[in-house]
Amino acid sequence: MKIFYITTPIYYVNARPHLGSAYTTIAADVLARFHRMKGEEVFFLAGTDEHGAKVAETALKEKMDPQELCNQNSAKYQEAWDTLKISYNNFIRTTDSEHKEMVIQVLKRLNDKKLIYKGVYQGLYCVGCERYYTPKELINGECPIHRKKAISLSEDCYFFKLSIFREKLLKLIREDELIIEPLERKNEILGFLELNELEDLAISRANVKWGIPLPWDQDQTIYVWVDALLNYLSGIGWKGQLNKIPKQWPPEIQLLGKDILRFHAVIWPALLLALKMPLPHRLYVHGFFTINGQKMGKSAGNTIDPEEMARVFGVDALRWMTLSSFPFGHDGDISQSKFYDKYNSDLSNGLGNLLRRVLSLAEKAKEDFQPPAKPEHNFHDFVENVWQDYEHLLEELKFANVSTLINSLVAFCDRYVNENEPWKLFKDDFNQYKNVIYNLLESLRHIAWMVRPFMPDKSDEILRGLSLGASEKNKTLIVGKKWGQTSFGKISQGKILFPRL
Ligand code: MSP
């Protein structure tokens, strides 16, 4: 079976993780867990981007050796990812010797193929972005992201013949051989490629010392974006040999924010075409977390610490709220008070309350619950439809819609309780009481499956509340989503899933 290879961008090591930047990685993790739940073999890559002028500058400011700064901050990312339950299979660092070695191999190959030449670059450079801008892209001479004046630089450097890949890229993207989603991002890239002559790319820097030296000219270091993009290959253990491509390759999906679209949709596939490597199948581009309309980030000074939020809401709830607050492909404004509202409505009053209500009704029976002889079709059909939508929406990365869908199943169950009044049935018609409670326990089991990629530990807690244990967790989705084949033992009420805040 093909391995589902999924990547999240590697993070700049000079910054600290914040909730906005954690967004890409939490989303990638939910997707990775969903595919594992389906029984697929998943390889999920994360890491840190450690070279370049910004890292050197920060190290200087903090009177640290750059490598020491990298070690310290890369560990911070790993800690944050562990707190957020990011289930990566490998954490790649661009200062790893295997990575550096592979980047050198790649550059040598491109040079051997005569795809690199020496020239002089003159341009307007933003230190924050570590890239040159065309005058048209700047706003009053300032970088549109960092709002700082771009500086005029001229330097000897080496160029990669990016321009020769324009037609090929246009064709591949137009024909969805390289899928770029959502559609507006595909159109953005097509527009860019159609309207502009693609310029060759300066792939080395003489003025940046903290980087991988070019193998044939030690006075130059490799442009940090070329170094960084190649992590997606070194991260699965590629050493640069065409006859030994790891089995994970190519990625099924690569997640990224819209600020780094061009690097991933132009430079990255062009490098792969130059190397004669298969391209990733799909790039999915998400929007920004904003605060009062402004992108959350280090330079704007409006970051929210994910670990602090996790202390308030719990990690599982934080993951849920991060992805359910607004559609993945768009920008969305967030605030602590919106998170409180969402926590209370979806989780505390919604799912948590339903679980408590059903378990306390089920506890009365003091016996186990077997599937009814005659299943109730309404219920069964409703849940089956929810599953169909659920899987489709997750394949499409519509996380917020998935959360609405799960909430609708919770609401359906609440209505079912109100309409059937099982507390009366308990006295008047014990058999019917047991059927009704069975349907509710079974629905909660399905809900535990559905929330599992978002809230892995809460999913386990629900299963434990339903008197189900490891055997349930070890099923694959295709078995787990079958209705009416599970028996439940005696139920006791247990603790509150999401305490009200
Ligand atoms: N180092 C590069 C990526 C190299 S990949 C070969 C980089 N790093 S980053 O730390 O700046 O960003 C990492 C991810 O976080 C990107 O996908 C970026 O879009 C995302 N976000 C950073 N701030 C964000 C928000 N405020 N909102 C949502 N995501 C944003 O870029």
Side-chain angles (χ1 to χ4, degrees), residues 9-12 18 20-21 23-24 49 77 225 228-229 231-232 256-260 264 286-289 295-296:
I10 51 171
Y11 285 68
Y12 286 130
H18 59 78
S21 59
Y23 190 46
T24 326
D49 188 352
Y77 272 98
W225 264 101
L229 286 164
N231 92 86
Y232 300 131
L256 49 131
K258 64 180 184 179
D259 49 336
I260 52 177
H264 283 81
H286 68 73
F288 289 152
F289 253 65
K295 180 189 176 203
M296 185 190 291

Side-chain angles (χ1 to χ4, degrees), residues 447-493:
I447 293 173
W449 273 89
M450 290 175 191
V451 300
R452 193 196 281 182
F454 297 83
M455 302 193 282
D457 290 327
K458 291 295 171 187
S459 167
D460 285 355
E461 267 184 54
I462 300 174
L463 293 179
R464 275 199 300 277
L466 298 174
S467 80
L468 301 170
S471 64
E472 182 68 22
K473 266 174 53 179
N474 294 336
K475 289 178 188 167
T476 59
L477 183 59
I478 195 138
V479 179
K481 71 180 182 182
K482 282 199 180 128
W483 178 269
Q485 307 202 343
T486 304
S487 305
F488 300 91
K490 254 191 247 169
I491 302 287
S492 56
Q493 212 187 78

Side-chain angles (χ1 to χ4, degrees), residues 11 15-26 76-86 289 291 296-298 302-322 334 336 339:
Y11 285 68
R16 298 280 164 90
H18 59 78
L19 196 61
S21 59
Y23 190 46
T24 326
T25 300
I26 296 175
K76 292 252 156 38
Y77 272 98
Q78 289 181 51
E79 276 164 31
W81 284 181
D82 290 345
T83 304
L84 292 171
K85 303 180 187 169
I86 305 301
F289 253 65
I291 301 240
M296 185 190 291
K298 188 182 162 195
N302 60 359
T303 56
I304 295 182
D305 175 5
E307 305 207 42
E308 200 182 303
M309 293 287 270
R311 275 191 291 278
V312 178
F313 296 104
V315 175
D316 283 35
L318 177 62
R319 289 166 56 103
W320 173 268
M321 292 179 303
T322 305
I334 57 153
Q336 190 128 344
F339 269 23

